[in-house]
Amino acid sequence: EDQVTQSPEALRLQEGESSSLNCSYTVSGLRGLFWYRQDPGKGPEFLFTLYSAGEEKEKERLKATLTKKESFLHITAPKPEDSATYLCAVHLGGAQKLVFGQGTRLTINP
Amino acid sequence: EPEVTQTPSHQVTQMGQEVILRCVPISNHLYFYWYRQILGQKVEFLVSFYNNEISEKSEIFDDQFSVERPDGSNFTLKIRSTKLEDSAMYFCASTPGLGLWAGELFFGEGSRLTVL
């Protein structure tokens, strides 16, 4: 069965304290791995799509990387406004759907 | 910046009633989707829609659910005879003509459905 697992479930950091969020997947036929940010009561906000092992993408304080089994979302010198739940999702070959992980709830304290 | 818009933002209904959730996808997008998120749980795929027909649906999307594109701009999700377990946030999403192969899927802000 295709599975997407995110860790940790929750992470609390001090402002400026860099860290990484993990998304591991056991799927066949990965077409793309998507990262989203979700604020409470809001829809997921698209961040990145990664397609192949070794690929990296950056946006402001965020950098996403991909290996054959997992993806990392690195956050550098985070600010309180980076507090949100970060979701990863996989696009499987031949399908028009994303399979989501359960998310990592990130809290940045000032 | 173009965005997916959804109405209503919150709907409360009685069990057994019919509900229609509405979405206006990003113009020039051709693939449309509904996802849902039960409180505290994962975002789950319901259905994808392309060229005026369902292209894929999940096992959640049973005969209780239907989708329609009644005109050139709206995309609707109808839930017949709602159940308590239908309470969730429902998200509409859209992508350009290549679908998910375009590498982007844009979500609306969601419609919160509460079934009493």
Side-chain angles (χ1 to χ4, degrees), chain A residues 4 31 34 36 38 41-44 46 49 51 91 95-98 100, chain B residues 31 33 35 37 42-43 45 48 56 89 91 100-101 103 105 107-109:
Chain A
V4 181
R31 298 288 298 191
F34 290 61
Y36 286 88
Q38 186 177 30
K42 303 291 186 181
F46 174 75
T49 304
Y51 294 98
H91 174 209
Q96 272 299 331
K97 68 178 183 181
L98 294 182
F100 279 83
Chain B
Y31 273 91
Y33 307 80
Y35 284 74
Q37 187 176 30
K42 296 181 181 184
V43 176
F45 168 78
S48 60
E56 191 166 350
M89 184 77 98
F91 296 109
L100 290 178
W101 291 285
L105 179 63
F107 285 85
E109 290 293 276

PDB file of all heavy atoms in Angstrom, chain A residues 4 31 34 36 38 41-44 46 49 51 91 95-98 100, chain B residues 31 33 35 37 42-43 45 48 56 89 91 100-101 103 105 107-109:
ATOM      1  N   VAL A   4       2.596   7.653   2.941  1.00  0.00           N
ATOM      2  CA  VAL A   4       3.361   8.885   3.121  1.00  0.00           C
ATOM      3  C   VAL A   4       3.355   9.202   4.610  1.00  0.00           C
ATOM      4  O   VAL A   4       2.281   9.330   5.205  1.00  0.00           O
ATOM      5  CB  VAL A   4       2.727  10.048   2.334  1.00  0.00           C
ATOM      6  CG1 VAL A   4       3.554  11.310   2.503  1.00  0.00           C
ATOM      7  CG2 VAL A   4       2.591   9.686   0.863  1.00  0.00           C
ATOM      8  N   ARG A  31       5.626  10.249  -9.365  1.00  0.00           N
ATOM      9  CA  ARG A  31       5.720  11.231 -10.440  1.00  0.00           C
ATOM     10  C   ARG A  31       6.176  12.594  -9.922  1.00  0.00           C
ATOM     11  O   ARG A  31       6.743  13.379 -10.659  1.00  0.00           O
ATOM     12  CB  ARG A  31       4.358  11.388 -11.116  1.00  0.00           C
ATOM     13  CG  ARG A  31       3.847  10.150 -11.768  1.00  0.00           C
ATOM     14  CD  ARG A  31       4.593   9.820 -13.013  1.00  0.00           C
ATOM     15  NE  ARG A  31       4.456  10.857 -14.027  1.00  0.00           N
ATOM     16  CZ  ARG A  31       4.848  10.718 -15.279  1.00  0.00           C
ATOM     17  NH1 ARG A  31       5.418   9.595 -15.671  1.00  0.00           N
ATOM     18  NH2 ARG A  31       4.698  11.707 -16.141  1.00  0.00           N
ATOM     19  N   PHE A  34       4.999  16.894  -3.608  1.00  0.00           N
ATOM     20  CA  PHE A  34       4.529  18.263  -3.425  1.00  0.00           C
ATOM     21  C   PHE A  34       4.673  18.641  -1.951  1.00  0.00           C
ATOM     22  O   PHE A  34       4.375  17.836  -1.050  1.00  0.00           O
ATOM     23  CB  PHE A  34       3.043  18.364  -3.789  1.00  0.00           C
ATOM     24  CG  PHE A  34       2.733  18.222  -5.257  1.00  0.00           C
ATOM     25  CD1 PHE A  34       3.038  17.056  -5.953  1.00  0.00           C
ATOM     26  CD2 PHE A  34       2.082  19.238  -5.940  1.00  0.00           C
ATOM     27  CE1 PHE A  34       2.733  16.918  -7.297  1.00  0.00           C
ATOM     28  CE2 PHE A  34       1.768  19.108  -7.285  1.00  0.00           C
ATOM     29  CZ  PHE A  34       2.086  17.959  -7.962  1.00  0.00           C
ATOM     30  N   TYR A  36       3.271  21.624   0.798  1.00  0.00           N
ATOM     31  CA  TYR A  36       2.298  22.678   1.025  1.00  0.00           C
ATOM     32  C   TYR A  36       2.466  23.229   2.437  1.00  0.00           C
ATOM     33  O   TYR A  36       2.898  22.525   3.349  1.00  0.00           O
ATOM     34  CB  TYR A  36       0.866  22.143   0.901  1.00  0.00           C
ATOM     35  CG  TYR A  36       0.416  21.858  -0.509  1.00  0.00           C
ATOM     36  CD1 TYR A  36       0.648  20.616  -1.095  1.00  0.00           C
ATOM     37  CD2 TYR A  36      -0.246  22.835  -1.249  1.00  0.00           C
ATOM     38  CE1 TYR A  36       0.244  20.363  -2.389  1.00  0.00           C
ATOM     39  CE2 TYR A  36      -0.666  22.575  -2.545  1.00  0.00           C
ATOM     40  CZ  TYR A  36      -0.412  21.345  -3.105  1.00  0.00           C
ATOM     41  OH  TYR A  36      -0.824  21.095  -4.393  1.00  0.00           O
ATOM     42  N   GLN A  38      -0.065  24.908   5.385  1.00  0.00           N
ATOM     43  CA  GLN A  38      -1.481  25.087   5.726  1.00  0.00           C
ATOM     44  C   GLN A  38      -1.597  25.839   7.040  1.00  0.00           C
ATOM     45  O   GLN A  38      -1.113  25.367   8.070  1.00  0.00           O
ATOM     46  CB  GLN A  38      -2.208  23.737   5.800  1.00  0.00           C
ATOM     47  CG  GLN A  38      -3.704  23.888   6.000  1.00  0.00           C
ATOM     48  CD  GLN A  38      -4.449  22.562   5.993  1.00  0.00           C
ATOM     49  OE1 GLN A  38      -3.922  21.530   6.382  1.00  0.00           O
ATOM     50  NE2 GLN A  38      -5.699  22.589   5.534  1.00  0.00           N
ATOM     51  N   GLY A  41      -7.510  26.463   9.606  1.00  0.00           N
ATOM     52  CA  GLY A  41      -8.775  26.831   8.982  1.00  0.00           C
ATOM     53  C   GLY A  41      -8.670  27.290   7.542  1.00  0.00           C
ATOM     54  O   GLY A  41      -9.644  27.790   6.977  1.00  0.00           O
ATOM     55  N   LYS A  42      -7.498  27.106   6.935  1.00  0.00           N
ATOM     56  CA  LYS A  42      -7.272  27.558   5.558  1.00  0.00           C
ATOM     57  C   LYS A  42      -6.938  26.389   4.647  1.00  0.00           C
ATOM     58  O   LYS A  42      -6.670  25.284   5.099  1.00  0.00           O
ATOM     59  CB  LYS A  42      -6.115  28.570   5.525  1.00  0.00           C
ATOM     60  CG  LYS A  42      -6.307  29.786   6.410  1.00  0.00           C
ATOM     61  CD  LYS A  42      -7.404  30.678   5.895  1.00  0.00           C
ATOM     62  CE  LYS A  42      -7.492  31.967   6.699  1.00  0.00           C
ATOM     63  NZ  LYS A  42      -8.582  32.842   6.203  1.00  0.00           N
ATOM     64  N   GLY A  43      -6.936  26.676   3.341  1.00  0.00           N
ATOM     65  CA  GLY A  43      -6.556  25.663   2.383  1.00  0.00           C
ATOM     66  C   GLY A  43      -5.050  25.537   2.258  1.00  0.00           C
ATOM     67  O   GLY A  43      -4.308  26.465   2.592  1.00  0.00           O
ATOM     68  N   PRO A  44      -4.560  24.393   1.791  1.00  0.00           N
ATOM     69  CA  PRO A  44      -3.122  24.223   1.585  1.00  0.00           C
ATOM     70  C   PRO A  44      -2.591  25.222   0.557  1.00  0.00           C
ATOM     71  O   PRO A  44      -3.203  25.419  -0.490  1.00  0.00           O
ATOM     72  CB  PRO A  44      -3.002  22.785   1.072  1.00  0.00           C
ATOM     73  CG  PRO A  44      -4.236  22.099   1.576  1.00  0.00           C
ATOM     74  CD  PRO A  44      -5.297  23.132   1.529  1.00  0.00           C
ATOM     75  N   PHE A  46       0.406  26.054  -1.969  1.00  0.00           N
ATOM     76  CA  PHE A  46       1.466  25.358  -2.710  1.00  0.00           C
ATOM     77  C   PHE A  46       2.831  26.000  -2.464  1.00  0.00           C
ATOM     78  O   PHE A  46       2.970  27.225  -2.513  1.00  0.00           O
ATOM     79  CB  PHE A  46       1.134  25.385  -4.203  1.00  0.00           C
ATOM     80  CG  PHE A  46       2.207  24.821  -5.081  1.00  0.00           C
ATOM     81  CD1 PHE A  46       2.404  23.453  -5.158  1.00  0.00           C
ATOM     82  CD2 PHE A  46       3.021  25.661  -5.826  1.00  0.00           C
ATOM     83  CE1 PHE A  46       3.401  22.938  -5.964  1.00  0.00           C
ATOM     84  CE2 PHE A  46       4.019  25.144  -6.640  1.00  0.00           C
ATOM     85  CZ  PHE A  46       4.204  23.788  -6.706  1.00  0.00           C
ATOM     86  N   THR A  49       7.235  21.530  -5.956  1.00  0.00           N
ATOM     87  CA  THR A  49       7.123  20.167  -6.460  1.00  0.00           C
ATOM     88  C   THR A  49       8.517  19.685  -6.834  1.00  0.00           C
ATOM     89  O   THR A  49       9.269  20.405  -7.499  1.00  0.00           O
ATOM     90  CB  THR A  49       6.223  20.080  -7.697  1.00  0.00           C
ATOM     91  OG1 THR A  49       4.950  20.632  -7.394  1.00  0.00           O
ATOM     92  CG2 THR A  49       6.034  18.623  -8.115  1.00  0.00           C
ATOM     93  N   TYR A  51      10.756  16.304  -8.461  1.00  0.00           N
ATOM     94  CA  TYR A  51      10.481  15.209  -9.370  1.00  0.00           C
ATOM     95  C   TYR A  51      11.481  14.064  -9.295  1.00  0.00           C
ATOM     96  O   TYR A  51      11.107  12.914  -9.521  1.00  0.00           O
ATOM     97  CB  TYR A  51      10.441  15.718 -10.817  1.00  0.00           C
ATOM     98  CG  TYR A  51       9.303  16.653 -11.073  1.00  0.00           C
ATOM     99  CD1 TYR A  51       9.491  18.042 -11.058  1.00  0.00           C
ATOM    100  CD2 TYR A  51       8.019  16.167 -11.317  1.00  0.00           C
ATOM    101  CE1 TYR A  51       8.427  18.904 -11.285  1.00  0.00           C
ATOM    102  CE2 TYR A  51       6.964  17.027 -11.556  1.00  0.00           C
ATOM    103  CZ  TYR A  51       7.183  18.385 -11.531  1.00  0.00           C
ATOM    104  OH  TYR A  51       6.133  19.240 -11.764  1.00  0.00           O
ATOM    105  N   HIS A  91       2.412  12.419  -5.897  1.00  0.00           N
ATOM    106  CA  HIS A  91       1.651  12.177  -7.115  1.00  0.00           C
ATOM    107  C   HIS A  91       2.177  10.875  -7.700  1.00  0.00           C
ATOM    108  O   HIS A  91       3.355  10.750  -8.009  1.00  0.00           O
ATOM    109  CB  HIS A  91       1.860  13.331  -8.098  1.00  0.00           C
ATOM    110  CG  HIS A  91       1.226  13.094  -9.439  1.00  0.00           C
ATOM    111  ND1 HIS A  91       1.729  13.653 -10.605  1.00  0.00           N
ATOM    112  CD2 HIS A  91       0.127  12.385  -9.798  1.00  0.00           C
ATOM    113  CE1 HIS A  91       0.981  13.287 -11.622  1.00  0.00           C
ATOM    114  NE2 HIS A  91      -0.003  12.525 -11.152  1.00  0.00           N
ATOM    115  N   ALA A  95      -2.106   8.492 -12.051  1.00  0.00           N
ATOM    116  CA  ALA A  95      -3.237   8.942 -11.242  1.00  0.00           C
ATOM    117  C   ALA A  95      -3.355  10.457 -11.292  1.00  0.00           C
ATOM    118  O   ALA A  95      -2.368  11.163 -11.501  1.00  0.00           O
ATOM    119  CB  ALA A  95      -3.075   8.492  -9.799  1.00  0.00           C
ATOM    120  N   GLN A  96      -4.567  10.932 -11.120  1.00  0.00           N
ATOM    121  CA  GLN A  96      -4.802  12.367 -11.016  1.00  0.00           C
ATOM    122  C   GLN A  96      -5.180  12.711  -9.588  1.00  0.00           C
ATOM    123  O   GLN A  96      -6.201  13.364  -9.344  1.00  0.00           O
ATOM    124  CB  GLN A  96      -5.901  12.804 -11.989  1.00  0.00           C
ATOM    125  CG  GLN A  96      -5.384  13.152 -13.346  1.00  0.00           C
ATOM    126  CD  GLN A  96      -4.400  14.302 -13.335  1.00  0.00           C
ATOM    127  OE1 GLN A  96      -4.448  15.190 -12.484  1.00  0.00           O
ATOM    128  NE2 GLN A  96      -3.490  14.285 -14.286  1.00  0.00           N
ATOM    129  N   LYS A  97      -4.382  12.244  -8.639  1.00  0.00           N
ATOM    130  CA  LYS A  97      -4.657  12.555  -7.248  1.00  0.00           C
ATOM    131  C   LYS A  97      -3.354  12.648  -6.490  1.00  0.00           C
ATOM    132  O   LYS A  97      -2.331  12.097  -6.893  1.00  0.00           O
ATOM    133  CB  LYS A  97      -5.537  11.472  -6.614  1.00  0.00           C
ATOM    134  CG  LYS A  97      -4.843  10.120  -6.462  1.00  0.00           C
ATOM    135  CD  LYS A  97      -5.749   9.132  -5.779  1.00  0.00           C
ATOM    136  CE  LYS A  97      -5.050   7.804  -5.560  1.00  0.00           C
ATOM    137  NZ  LYS A  97      -5.929   6.798  -4.913  1.00  0.00           N
ATOM    138  N   LEU A  98      -3.395  13.395  -5.395  1.00  0.00           N
ATOM    139  CA  LEU A  98      -2.287  13.456  -4.465  1.00  0.00           C
ATOM    140  C   LEU A  98      -2.636  12.641  -3.227  1.00  0.00           C
ATOM    141  O   LEU A  98      -3.784  12.674  -2.764  1.00  0.00           O
ATOM    142  CB  LEU A  98      -1.993  14.892  -4.052  1.00  0.00           C
ATOM    143  CG  LEU A  98      -1.487  15.845  -5.137  1.00  0.00           C
ATOM    144  CD1 LEU A  98      -1.196  17.222  -4.535  1.00  0.00           C
ATOM    145  CD2 LEU A  98      -0.252  15.295  -5.822  1.00  0.00           C
ATOM    146  N   PHE A 100      -1.664  12.507   0.626  1.00  0.00           N
ATOM    147  CA  PHE A 100      -1.052  13.394   1.610  1.00  0.00           C
ATOM    148  C   PHE A 100      -0.532  12.639   2.824  1.00  0.00           C
ATOM    149  O   PHE A 100      -1.092  11.606   3.232  1.00  0.00           O
ATOM    150  CB  PHE A 100      -2.082  14.422   2.091  1.00  0.00           C
ATOM    151  CG  PHE A 100      -2.268  15.575   1.163  1.00  0.00           C
ATOM    152  CD1 PHE A 100      -3.110  15.474   0.055  1.00  0.00           C
ATOM    153  CD2 PHE A 100      -1.608  16.775   1.372  1.00  0.00           C
ATOM    154  CE1 PHE A 100      -3.284  16.541  -0.816  1.00  0.00           C
ATOM    155  CE2 PHE A 100      -1.776  17.851   0.515  1.00  0.00           C
ATOM    156  CZ  PHE A 100      -2.616  17.725  -0.578  1.00  0.00           C
TER     157      PHE A 100
ATOM    158  N   TYR B  31      -8.300  21.000 -15.119  1.00  0.00           N
ATOM    159  CA  TYR B  31      -8.546  19.889 -14.209  1.00  0.00           C
ATOM    160  C   TYR B  31      -9.068  20.463 -12.897  1.00  0.00           C
ATOM    161  O   TYR B  31      -8.504  21.428 -12.368  1.00  0.00           O
ATOM    162  CB  TYR B  31      -7.251  19.118 -13.920  1.00  0.00           C
ATOM    163  CG  TYR B  31      -6.923  18.031 -14.906  1.00  0.00           C
ATOM    164  CD1 TYR B  31      -6.146  18.293 -16.024  1.00  0.00           C
ATOM    165  CD2 TYR B  31      -7.372  16.726 -14.702  1.00  0.00           C
ATOM    166  CE1 TYR B  31      -5.820  17.288 -16.923  1.00  0.00           C
ATOM    167  CE2 TYR B  31      -7.050  15.716 -15.599  1.00  0.00           C
ATOM    168  CZ  TYR B  31      -6.280  16.007 -16.705  1.00  0.00           C
ATOM    169  OH  TYR B  31      -5.961  15.021 -17.590  1.00  0.00           O
ATOM    170  N   TYR B  33     -10.714  19.442  -8.884  1.00  0.00           N
ATOM    171  CA  TYR B  33     -10.650  18.393  -7.875  1.00  0.00           C
ATOM    172  C   TYR B  33     -11.470  18.805  -6.652  1.00  0.00           C
ATOM    173  O   TYR B  33     -11.611  19.998  -6.362  1.00  0.00           O
ATOM    174  CB  TYR B  33      -9.206  18.167  -7.396  1.00  0.00           C
ATOM    175  CG  TYR B  33      -8.201  17.921  -8.499  1.00  0.00           C
ATOM    176  CD1 TYR B  33      -7.685  18.985  -9.223  1.00  0.00           C
ATOM    177  CD2 TYR B  33      -7.769  16.640  -8.794  1.00  0.00           C
ATOM    178  CE1 TYR B  33      -6.761  18.765 -10.237  1.00  0.00           C
ATOM    179  CE2 TYR B  33      -6.832  16.409  -9.801  1.00  0.00           C
ATOM    180  CZ  TYR B  33      -6.339  17.487 -10.512  1.00  0.00           C
ATOM    181  OH  TYR B  33      -5.416  17.272 -11.516  1.00  0.00           O
ATOM    182  N   TYR B  35     -11.154  17.679  -2.517  1.00  0.00           N
ATOM    183  CA  TYR B  35     -10.518  16.967  -1.426  1.00  0.00           C
ATOM    184  C   TYR B  35     -11.290  17.297  -0.157  1.00  0.00           C
ATOM    185  O   TYR B  35     -12.022  18.287  -0.095  1.00  0.00           O
ATOM    186  CB  TYR B  35      -9.059  17.413  -1.247  1.00  0.00           C
ATOM    187  CG  TYR B  35      -8.088  16.867  -2.263  1.00  0.00           C
ATOM    188  CD1 TYR B  35      -8.064  17.361  -3.564  1.00  0.00           C
ATOM    189  CD2 TYR B  35      -7.183  15.875  -1.927  1.00  0.00           C
ATOM    190  CE1 TYR B  35      -7.164  16.866  -4.498  1.00  0.00           C
ATOM    191  CE2 TYR B  35      -6.273  15.367  -2.851  1.00  0.00           C
ATOM    192  CZ  TYR B  35      -6.272  15.877  -4.135  1.00  0.00           C
ATOM    193  OH  TYR B  35      -5.374  15.384  -5.058  1.00  0.00           O
ATOM    194  N   GLN B  37     -10.937  17.237   4.375  1.00  0.00           N
ATOM    195  CA  GLN B  37     -10.084  17.058   5.554  1.00  0.00           C
ATOM    196  C   GLN B  37     -10.978  17.035   6.783  1.00  0.00           C
ATOM    197  O   GLN B  37     -11.528  18.079   7.173  1.00  0.00           O
ATOM    198  CB  GLN B  37      -9.038  18.168   5.647  1.00  0.00           C
ATOM    199  CG  GLN B  37      -8.009  17.952   6.739  1.00  0.00           C
ATOM    200  CD  GLN B  37      -6.932  19.021   6.722  1.00  0.00           C
ATOM    201  OE1 GLN B  37      -7.162  20.161   6.340  1.00  0.00           O
ATOM    202  NE2 GLN B  37      -5.716  18.659   7.143  1.00  0.00           N
ATOM    203  N   LYS B  42      -5.801  13.598   7.815  1.00  0.00           N
ATOM    204  CA  LYS B  42      -5.118  13.929   6.576  1.00  0.00           C
ATOM    205  C   LYS B  42      -6.065  14.545   5.554  1.00  0.00           C
ATOM    206  O   LYS B  42      -7.282  14.314   5.586  1.00  0.00           O
ATOM    207  CB  LYS B  42      -4.528  12.665   5.943  1.00  0.00           C
ATOM    208  CG  LYS B  42      -3.451  11.969   6.742  1.00  0.00           C
ATOM    209  CD  LYS B  42      -2.938  10.760   5.977  1.00  0.00           C
ATOM    210  CE  LYS B  42      -1.873  10.012   6.750  1.00  0.00           C
ATOM    211  NZ  LYS B  42      -1.295   8.885   5.988  1.00  0.00           N
ATOM    212  N   VAL B  43      -5.509  15.286   4.633  1.00  0.00           N
ATOM    213  CA  VAL B  43      -6.260  15.721   3.459  1.00  0.00           C
ATOM    214  C   VAL B  43      -6.457  14.496   2.562  1.00  0.00           C
ATOM    215  O   VAL B  43      -5.504  13.769   2.262  1.00  0.00           O
ATOM    216  CB  VAL B  43      -5.485  16.814   2.699  1.00  0.00           C
ATOM    217  CG1 VAL B  43      -6.214  17.203   1.420  1.00  0.00           C
ATOM    218  CG2 VAL B  43      -5.266  18.037   3.592  1.00  0.00           C
ATOM    219  N   PHE B  45      -8.202  12.733  -0.997  1.00  0.00           N
ATOM    220  CA  PHE B  45      -8.717  12.923  -2.346  1.00  0.00           C
ATOM    221  C   PHE B  45     -10.143  12.380  -2.457  1.00  0.00           C
ATOM    222  O   PHE B  45     -10.437  11.292  -1.951  1.00  0.00           O
ATOM    223  CB  PHE B  45      -7.805  12.195  -3.335  1.00  0.00           C
ATOM    224  CG  PHE B  45      -8.354  12.061  -4.721  1.00  0.00           C
ATOM    225  CD1 PHE B  45      -8.319  13.128  -5.603  1.00  0.00           C
ATOM    226  CD2 PHE B  45      -8.896  10.865  -5.149  1.00  0.00           C
ATOM    227  CE1 PHE B  45      -8.809  12.995  -6.895  1.00  0.00           C
ATOM    228  CE2 PHE B  45      -9.380  10.715  -6.440  1.00  0.00           C
ATOM    229  CZ  PHE B  45      -9.338  11.790  -7.314  1.00  0.00           C
ATOM    230  N   SER B  48     -11.501  13.747  -9.209  1.00  0.00           N
ATOM    231  CA  SER B  48     -10.927  14.660 -10.193  1.00  0.00           C
ATOM    232  C   SER B  48     -11.850  14.715 -11.404  1.00  0.00           C
ATOM    233  O   SER B  48     -12.567  13.743 -11.707  1.00  0.00           O
ATOM    234  CB  SER B  48      -9.517  14.225 -10.608  1.00  0.00           C
ATOM    235  OG  SER B  48      -9.537  12.934 -11.174  1.00  0.00           O
ATOM    236  N   GLU B  56     -11.232  10.450 -12.191  1.00  0.00           N
ATOM    237  CA  GLU B  56     -10.838   9.509 -11.143  1.00  0.00           C
ATOM    238  C   GLU B  56     -11.629   9.824  -9.880  1.00  0.00           C
ATOM    239  O   GLU B  56     -11.950  10.994  -9.619  1.00  0.00           O
ATOM    240  CB  GLU B  56      -9.338   9.642 -10.862  1.00  0.00           C
ATOM    241  CG  GLU B  56      -8.747   8.559 -10.004  1.00  0.00           C
ATOM    242  CD  GLU B  56      -7.230   8.550 -10.053  1.00  0.00           C
ATOM    243  OE1 GLU B  56      -6.653   9.253 -10.896  1.00  0.00           O
ATOM    244  OE2 GLU B  56      -6.636   7.824  -9.250  1.00  0.00           O
ATOM    245  N   MET B  89     -13.819  19.739   6.344  1.00  0.00           N
ATOM    246  CA  MET B  89     -13.507  20.862   5.469  1.00  0.00           C
ATOM    247  C   MET B  89     -13.348  20.301   4.064  1.00  0.00           C
ATOM    248  O   MET B  89     -12.599  19.332   3.872  1.00  0.00           O
ATOM    249  CB  MET B  89     -12.210  21.531   5.922  1.00  0.00           C
ATOM    250  CG  MET B  89     -11.866  22.763   5.127  1.00  0.00           C
ATOM    251  SD  MET B  89     -12.856  24.177   5.610  1.00  0.00           S
ATOM    252  CE  MET B  89     -11.706  24.984   6.697  1.00  0.00           C
ATOM    253  N   PHE B  91     -12.203  20.984   0.231  1.00  0.00           N
ATOM    254  CA  PHE B  91     -11.351  21.862  -0.561  1.00  0.00           C
ATOM    255  C   PHE B  91     -11.539  21.581  -2.043  1.00  0.00           C
ATOM    256  O   PHE B  91     -11.480  20.436  -2.482  1.00  0.00           O
ATOM    257  CB  PHE B  91      -9.876  21.654  -0.226  1.00  0.00           C
ATOM    258  CG  PHE B  91      -9.499  22.019   1.177  1.00  0.00           C
ATOM    259  CD1 PHE B  91      -9.170  21.047   2.100  1.00  0.00           C
ATOM    260  CD2 PHE B  91      -9.476  23.355   1.564  1.00  0.00           C
ATOM    261  CE1 PHE B  91      -8.810  21.386   3.394  1.00  0.00           C
ATOM    262  CE2 PHE B  91      -9.118  23.707   2.860  1.00  0.00           C
ATOM    263  CZ  PHE B  91      -8.788  22.719   3.778  1.00  0.00           C
ATOM    264  N   LEU B 100      -1.943  17.100 -12.891  1.00  0.00           N
ATOM    265  CA  LEU B 100      -0.885  17.094 -11.882  1.00  0.00           C
ATOM    266  C   LEU B 100       0.493  17.026 -12.519  1.00  0.00           C
ATOM    267  O   LEU B 100       1.495  17.351 -11.886  1.00  0.00           O
ATOM    268  CB  LEU B 100      -1.072  15.950 -10.901  1.00  0.00           C
ATOM    269  CG  LEU B 100      -2.260  16.101  -9.950  1.00  0.00           C
ATOM    270  CD1 LEU B 100      -2.381  14.884  -9.057  1.00  0.00           C
ATOM    271  CD2 LEU B 100      -2.122  17.356  -9.117  1.00  0.00           C
ATOM    272  N   TRP B 101       0.569  16.629 -13.784  1.00  0.00           N
ATOM    273  CA  TRP B 101       1.863  16.620 -14.450  1.00  0.00           C
ATOM    274  C   TRP B 101       2.390  18.039 -14.657  1.00  0.00           C
ATOM    275  O   TRP B 101       3.561  18.223 -14.962  1.00  0.00           O
ATOM    276  CB  TRP B 101       1.764  15.894 -15.794  1.00  0.00           C
ATOM    277  CG  TRP B 101       1.539  14.436 -15.615  1.00  0.00           C
ATOM    278  CD1 TRP B 101       2.444  13.499 -15.231  1.00  0.00           C
ATOM    279  CD2 TRP B 101       0.306  13.741 -15.781  1.00  0.00           C
ATOM    280  NE1 TRP B 101       1.853  12.269 -15.153  1.00  0.00           N
ATOM    281  CE2 TRP B 101       0.554  12.368 -15.488  1.00  0.00           C
ATOM    282  CE3 TRP B 101      -0.991  14.126 -16.164  1.00  0.00           C
ATOM    283  CZ2 TRP B 101      -0.447  11.401 -15.559  1.00  0.00           C
ATOM    284  CZ3 TRP B 101      -1.977  13.166 -16.233  1.00  0.00           C
ATOM    285  CH2 TRP B 101      -1.705  11.829 -15.938  1.00  0.00           C
ATOM    286  N   GLY B 103       2.672  19.961 -12.286  1.00  0.00           N
ATOM    287  CA  GLY B 103       3.490  20.191 -11.096  1.00  0.00           C
ATOM    288  C   GLY B 103       2.935  21.186 -10.126  1.00  0.00           C
ATOM    289  O   GLY B 103       3.620  21.609  -9.203  1.00  0.00           O
ATOM    290  N   LEU B 105      -0.814  22.266  -7.964  1.00  0.00           N
ATOM    291  CA  LEU B 105      -2.224  22.072  -7.637  1.00  0.00           C
ATOM    292  C   LEU B 105      -2.587  23.159  -6.643  1.00  0.00           C
ATOM    293  O   LEU B 105      -2.008  23.232  -5.560  1.00  0.00           O
ATOM    294  CB  LEU B 105      -2.451  20.686  -7.033  1.00  0.00           C
ATOM    295  CG  LEU B 105      -3.888  20.367  -6.612  1.00  0.00           C
ATOM    296  CD1 LEU B 105      -4.810  20.368  -7.819  1.00  0.00           C
ATOM    297  CD2 LEU B 105      -3.952  19.020  -5.897  1.00  0.00           C
ATOM    298  N   PHE B 107      -5.240  25.131  -4.231  1.00  0.00           N
ATOM    299  CA  PHE B 107      -6.427  24.885  -3.423  1.00  0.00           C
ATOM    300  C   PHE B 107      -7.152  26.183  -3.089  1.00  0.00           C
ATOM    301  O   PHE B 107      -6.538  27.247  -2.960  1.00  0.00           O
ATOM    302  CB  PHE B 107      -6.038  24.208  -2.098  1.00  0.00           C
ATOM    303  CG  PHE B 107      -5.688  22.758  -2.230  1.00  0.00           C
ATOM    304  CD1 PHE B 107      -4.405  22.373  -2.581  1.00  0.00           C
ATOM    305  CD2 PHE B 107      -6.631  21.767  -1.989  1.00  0.00           C
ATOM    306  CE1 PHE B 107      -4.065  21.033  -2.702  1.00  0.00           C
ATOM    307  CE2 PHE B 107      -6.306  20.424  -2.099  1.00  0.00           C
ATOM    308  CZ  PHE B 107      -5.015  20.065  -2.458  1.00  0.00           C
ATOM    309  N   GLY B 108      -8.458  26.046  -2.905  1.00  0.00           N
ATOM    310  CA  GLY B 108      -9.241  27.136  -2.338  1.00  0.00           C
ATOM    311  C   GLY B 108      -9.129  27.145  -0.821  1.00  0.00           C
ATOM    312  O   GLY B 108      -8.433  26.307  -0.229  1.00  0.00           O
ATOM    313  N   GLU B 109      -9.831  28.087  -0.206  1.00  0.00           N
ATOM    314  CA  GLU B 109      -9.762  28.237   1.242  1.00  0.00           C
ATOM    315  C   GLU B 109     -10.630  27.237   1.989  1.00  0.00           C
ATOM    316  O   GLU B 109     -10.527  27.110   3.195  1.00  0.00           O
ATOM    317  CB  GLU B 109     -10.173  29.661   1.637  1.00  0.00           C
ATOM    318  CG  GLU B 109      -9.167  30.711   1.228  1.00  0.00           C
ATOM    319  CD  GLU B 109      -7.867  30.593   1.990  1.00  0.00           C
ATOM    320  OE1 GLU B 109      -7.774  31.125   3.105  1.00  0.00           O
ATOM    321  OE2 GLU B 109      -6.929  29.936   1.467  1.00  0.00           O
TER     322      GLU B 109
END
